[in-house]
Amino acid sequence: MQWQSFLLRYGSYSGELREAMAVLTRRLANSVVDWGDIKALMANRLIALDKSPGVRPIGIGECIRRVIGKTMALVTGRDVQDVCGVEQLATGLKASIEGAIHAMTDLYNEFASDSWGFLLIDAVNAFNMINRTTALWNARVLWPRCSRFLFNTYRGYSMLILKDTKECIYSKEGVTQGDLLSMFFYAVAVLPLIRSLASNSNFVQCWYADDSACVGKLSQIRLWLEKLIQLGPAYGYFAEPTKSVLVVAPQFEDVAKNCFKDLGITVSSGHRFLGGVIECVTKVSKAAVRAPQAAFSTMTKSLQCEWEFVQRVVPDCAETFIPLQHAISDQFFPSLLGGVVTVEEKRLFQLPTYLAGLGIYDPTETAVHAYKTSRQGTATVSEAIKGVTAFQHEQHLESLTTARKMSTKAKEDDFILKFESIIPSFSPDRQRALRRSLNGKTSTWLNVLPLQNYHFDLSPLQFRDGLAIRYLRDPPCLPPKCDGCGTALTLQHALDCKKGGLVIQRHNEIRDCIGDIASQQPQVEALFDVKVVDTDAPSHRTRSPEAILESGAKEKKMVYEQAVVERRGNFTPI
């Protein structure tokens, strides 16, 4: 975030910094740079990732390195996708993992009864073991536009610095995990190995970075694995059979165990392949009690995406998500709002935020669209992996875009119908508030990350008060009486009472915010006047929010606009 501000927020100074970064990137990409000039830039902070068992070293690079690395990925990343196609999917190809799962699942289901198996290979610390010299040569041949940049950044031994220690570890082999180009670099490094294994057409292999899989007859899988074990070390790829899994139909388990008994491979009739598991929302619900905004962001930005991925690759799984749906409705929603949630509110919350919902969708319903869309959008990748057709990048992007647009349109139509069916169950006042959220587009605050640097982080009380105003619910922990006038305190009274101080506070807060924005444009006289209107007040309920706001703006102009014009200024009522 700090570097983002440096590069974007300081006018001409940011422009000069961007140009300096561009000069550095061009130098690294187009000339051979002495290692001593960039040794400090290539240093990394070392963290240890627990792999259970084992420890995986991860290098956290300098922000400048990450910026220029991402620049190179944006400029030359398409080259990697074109050269790898579907042979190696760790190239940023959209929805490639979903296509791989569909392809391998189709092949296994079609031929499982014919003594076919599905082998998933685990490699020993692959990213750190890859042969760096071989990898750089492969990049020179297969990824020439980025090869000199990679040569400059990997020609020396970068320092890995562990906090609170004086000793340094030097990265002498493999690629630095944490480098933004590491995945692309690894993809082209093992591509010749993948092509060497593909000489036999009696099986189908699939690769995503160091995760490899093979589908075919058991005898053919055995030959493929033996060849991988033989050829892999030259590239720094060391297969680990004891951590690998062979999936076969139940009637062939004994045959498979006998075929692979000397390699120690685990034989099973079912295993996860590049998939995900549905995370329980219980812990997030508990966290929502103390940090509702953070829990809400976790649910909508992370956890929901995980189970949606499962829905895209597993057919007919809607019933599987019923327990998850109950956990969301019965645990998460009450914890988030800090009180009892009605059945009608739960249905409303499962709509998108632009339709007055919370964007936490019913997983039993999203499963219906997800799998169908994924199958349609990734058909080009799936058919290419199975060897039915040659892979066409543009065709894949076109089919994926079309499928997603059709799915989005279908879901939007469904959501609108649900909104219109749900809203009559609320009182007229709440219906008015919900339609204001819909027509006034007042839901953006729910979609932003709670970033402290931009003051987007809200306290639990502020976040729940915002939800209470949005849905005309009584805020939790509301005092029984107003501290200004002693009247019974309700949401409506808190918004309208001129003795309690809230009216003045919110007016001044908006005024100060606008003044801060206006101060960024010096030598321009711009005058603002703020009027805060409670469109849900009893006196306003016969008019639309738009008409109320327009009327307030006209009143301000009638009072101040002529005087401002005489001063040759600009007046904006807010």
Side-chain angles (χ1 to χ4, degrees):
M1 283 297 176
Q2 187 179 44
W3 268 91
Q4 186 181 52
S5 296
F6 290 162
L7 290 167
L8 299 175
R9 298 186 63 184
Y10 296 97
S12 60
Y13 301 105
S14 293
E16 292 177 9
L17 178 59
R18 291 196 298 270
E19 181 59 32
M21 297 283 283
V23 170
L24 174 61
T25 307
R26 285 193 292 267
R27 183 186 175 199
L28 290 172
N30 297 299
S31 60
V32 176
V33 180
D34 185 82
W35 178 251
D37 293 347
I38 59 173
K39 181 179 178 180
L41 178 62
M42 295 298 112
N44 299 273
R45 182 167 62 89
L46 180 65
I47 61 173
L49 182 65
D50 186 4
K51 292 292 290 184
S52 300
V55 176
R56 179 69 50 81
I58 304 294
I60 306 301
E62 291 285 346
C63 290
I64 297 178
R65 183 183 179 183
R66 296 178 65 83
V67 171
I68 62 179
K70 189 169 185 177
T71 301
M72 291 301 298
L74 290 172
V75 173
T76 68
R78 176 61 186 268
D79 300 353
V80 184
Q81 296 177 5
D82 290 339
V83 73
C84 291
V86 295
E87 295 175 291
Q88 169 60 274
L89 299 175
T91 60
L93 184 65
K94 291 183 178 180
S96 60
I97 297 180
E98 296 173 36
I101 294 176
H102 295 318
M104 303 302 269
T105 303
D106 289 346
L107 289 170
Y108 176 74
N109 291 339
E110 183 178 356
F111 298 106
S113 60
D114 193 23
S115 72
W116 276 47
F118 182 15
L119 178 63
L120 296 98
I121 291 293
D122 190 17
V124 180
N125 203 4
F127 276 79
N128 292 315
M129 299 289 286
I130 196 73
N131 188 311
R132 184 176 293 182
T133 303
T134 303
L136 287 171
W137 175 256
N138 290 339
R140 180 68 183 90
V141 175
L142 300 170
W143 193 14
R145 286 209 297 164
C146 194
S147 60
R148 191 159 292 177
F149 184 93
L150 292 171
F151 175 77
N152 284 323
T153 55
Y154 281 97
R155 66 180 302 190
Y157 300 152
S158 59
M159 293 184 296
L160 301 176
I161 304 168
L162 192 61
K163 186 179 179 181
D164 298 329
T165 63
K166 296 182 180 179
E167 299 294 331
C168 289
I169 300 175
Y170 289 89
S171 174
K172 298 184 177 182
E173 197 63 283
V175 297
T176 302
Q177 295 192 59
D179 178 9
L180 288 173
L181 292 174
S182 61
M183 193 69 81
F184 291 169
F185 189 20
Y186 190 91
V188 296
V190 298
L191 187 58
L193 171 63
I194 297 171
R195 290 174 174 173
S196 298
L197 297 169
S199 58
N200 190 325
S201 60
N202 294 327
F203 55 77
V204 175
Q205 62 175 339
C206 181
W207 286 71
Y208 184 87
D210 60 319
D211 292 324
S212 57
C214 181
V215 172
K217 286 183 173 294
L218 296 178
S219 58
Q220 295 298 322
I221 292 178
R222 171 80 190 211
L223 293 175
W224 177 83
L225 178 57
E226 290 175 348
K227 194 172 182 180
L228 177 60
I229 294 174
Q230 176 189 355
L231 300 178
Y235 298 87
Y237 187 92
F238 298 88
E240 195 168 12
T242 56
K243 291 186 178 181
S244 302
V245 177
L246 176 65
V247 181
V248 296
Q251 64 268 30
F252 296 112
E253 282 195 45
D254 292 337
V255 177
K257 289 178 181 178
N258 185 60
C259 183
F260 292 89
K261 62 182 179 181
D262 59 318
L263 296 174
I265 289 178
T266 302
V267 178
S268 173
S269 58
H271 195 78
R272 185 181 68 180
F273 170 55
L274 296 177
V277 295
I278 302 175
E279 296 287 345
C280 179
V281 300
T282 302
K283 290 184 179 180
V284 182
S285 300
K286 292 179 180 179
V289 175
R290 293 187 175 182
Q293 187 186 22
F296 176 75
S297 294
T298 300
M299 180 68 75
T300 56
K301 308 293 185 185
S302 178
L303 294 184
Q304 188 165 241
C305 298
E306 293 188 20
W307 68 67
E308 285 178 350
F309 175 81
V310 176
Q311 293 174 341
R312 292 197 295 271
V313 298
V314 179
D316 305 321
C317 62
E319 292 185 0
T320 308
F321 289 89
I322 292 177
L324 175 62
Q325 166 57 17
H326 289 164
I328 294 172
S329 297
D330 301 336
Q331 298 178 33
F332 183 73
F333 286 150
S335 298
L336 185 70
L337 278 86
V340 178
V341 180
T342 66
V343 175
E344 292 78 13
E345 287 176 327
K346 292 176 182 178
R347 293 177 60 203
L348 177 67
F349 295 161
Q350 291 168 352
L351 294 175
T353 55
Y354 66 84
L355 286 176
L358 289 177
I360 302 174
Y361 308 117
D362 183 345
T364 63
E365 295 181 359
T366 55
V368 178
H369 292 286
Y371 183 76
K372 180 181 177 182
T373 302
S374 180
R375 292 291 297 196
Q376 292 175 346
T378 62
T380 304
V381 172
S382 298
E383 295 302 301
I385 291 175
K386 291 187 288 186
V388 177
T389 60
F391 178 66
Q392 299 292 332
H393 196 151
E394 296 301 333
Q395 181 183 347
H396 166 62
L397 295 179
E398 182 180 351
S399 61
L400 182 63
T401 301
T402 301
R404 287 178 173 176
K405 284 183 178 179
M406 292 175 61
S407 175
T408 300
K409 181 64 168 62
K411 288 190 291 186
E412 286 179 351
D413 293 341
D414 288 346
F415 286 141
I416 292 173
L417 291 175
K418 289 176 184 176
F419 176 80
E420 295 300 337
S421 66
I422 293 171
I423 199 167
S425 60
F426 293 98
S427 65
D429 291 345
R430 298 191 72 181
Q431 289 185 38
R432 175 186 173 86
L434 295 175
R435 292 197 179 277
R436 180 186 63 228
S437 297
L438 173 65
N439 299 326
K441 300 179 181 180
T442 59
S443 303
T444 305
W445 68 282
L446 287 170
N447 297 323
V448 299
L449 292 173
L451 301 176
Q452 186 177 14
N453 289 345
Y454 295 103
H455 306 291
F456 290 164
D457 57 324
L458 303 177
S459 69
L461 186 61
Q462 289 173 325
F463 185 77
R464 290 195 174 104
D465 283 352
L467 292 179
I469 294 172
R470 177 180 174 86
Y471 296 112
L472 280 190
R473 291 169 51 94
D474 286 333
C477 303
L478 196 67
K481 292 186 178 181
C482 174
D483 58 359
C485 64
T487 306
L489 187 60
T490 63
L491 174 63
Q492 192 65 61
H493 181 81
L495 293 173
D496 296 341
C497 181
K498 293 181 173 57
K499 295 183 179 179
L502 179 60
V503 172
I504 297 175
Q505 289 177 19
R506 70 191 183 200
H507 176 279
N508 293 346
E509 183 176 353
I510 297 172
R511 177 203 63 193
D512 295 342
C513 179
I514 294 171
D516 181 57
I517 296 173
S519 66
Q520 300 180 22
Q521 294 294 330
Q523 299 183 5
V524 176
E525 186 174 28
L527 289 89
F528 301 87
D529 193 33
V530 177
K531 181 175 184 178
V532 181
V533 182
D534 179 11
T535 58
D536 290 325
S539 59
H540 291 319
R541 290 177 183 173
T542 58
R543 304 168 63 197
S544 68
E546 293 80 4
I548 296 169
L549 297 177
E550 184 178 355
S551 175
K554 288 182 178 179
E555 291 177 5
K556 291 290 184 182
K557 287 183 177 180
M558 290 177 62
V559 176
Y560 299 112
E561 188 170 40
Q562 184 58 40
V564 173
V565 170
E566 292 175 358
R567 295 176 55 175
R568 300 181 182 275
N570 296 319
F571 176 68
T572 304
I574 296 178

